[in-house]
Amino acid sequence: MEWTIGELAERASAALSPTAQLNGRVRDVPNERLIRWYATIGLLDPPTSRRGRVALYGRRHLLQLVAVKRRQAEGLTIAEIQAELAGASDQALETIADLPSPPPAPPAAKSESTRPRFWAKPPRTTHPTQVNGVRLAPGVTLMLDGGRPLSPAALADIGTAAEALLAVLREHDLVPDPEGNQS
């Protein structure tokens, strides 16, 4: 039997959940990131196979993962666990991991048929909003939500305030220079 990394994490969590009492320095259940790290430092064997880009893990990986967490629960450091479990036989891992027989199944996931489909939801009703645009320069328009018309005084104040922004945009060649100067 082979599992994806997510399924391996779920099975390890199910095996550890009834007895997991760690010392607060380590996570009580492994996640995918932790599993990858354990494989990188040699606590877990490389995946047994791949299905496309998906790595697959077997029972030995589950034994290794649960054995590491059990030893951490006993207060051993990663270095001590590496020294003990390096090259350990399946029988030794079985003893340390102390898995129920058969291995625990992961918690029941939602079936595909019970998961809501985003495309099946009725469309959300939206109310159109009027947007005002103020042309600051060719290629630069300030968009303002709301339907209130702008007064000539407001337009003049926006134009004055926009000069600093337009200078920065010209400096970075994001809008053309109105006088045609090249930087």
Side-chain angles (χ1 to χ4, degrees), residues 43-176:
L43 281 172
L44 251 65
D45 293 343
T48 54
S49 63
R50 294 195 176 272
R51 188 181 324 131
R53 292 180 53 178
V54 177
L56 298 175
Y57 300 84
R59 179 166 172 79
R60 180 171 171 83
H61 295 100
L62 179 62
L63 293 172
Q64 289 173 318
L65 190 52
V66 173
V68 168
K69 299 314 279 180
R70 297 250 192 254
R71 290 302 192 227
Q72 282 183 323
E74 295 168 5
L76 274 66
T77 66
I78 289 291
E80 293 168 329
I81 297 168
Q82 283 175 313
E84 178 186 6
L85 299 183
S89 67
D90 286 358
Q91 186 176 11
L93 291 171
E94 287 271 0
T95 303
I96 298 166
D98 192 27
L99 289 181
S101 193
K110 289 183 178 179
S111 72
E112 188 65 34
S113 62
T114 61
R115 285 176 41 208
R117 297 183 209 165
F118 72 91
W119 61 86
K121 292 180 183 176
R124 192 175 59 202
T125 55
T126 59
H127 301 286
T129 303
Q130 184 174 347
V131 176
N132 288 327
V134 179
R135 174 88 43 182
L136 301 177
V140 181
T141 303
L142 172 66
M143 304 302 290
L144 301 169
D145 285 340
R148 270 187 15 200
L150 298 172
S151 68
L155 286 172
D157 288 345
I158 290 171
T160 302
E163 284 305 318
L165 172 63
L166 291 171
V168 170
L169 293 173
R170 287 184 192 106
E171 181 179 317
H172 292 281
D173 293 324
L174 297 173
V175 295

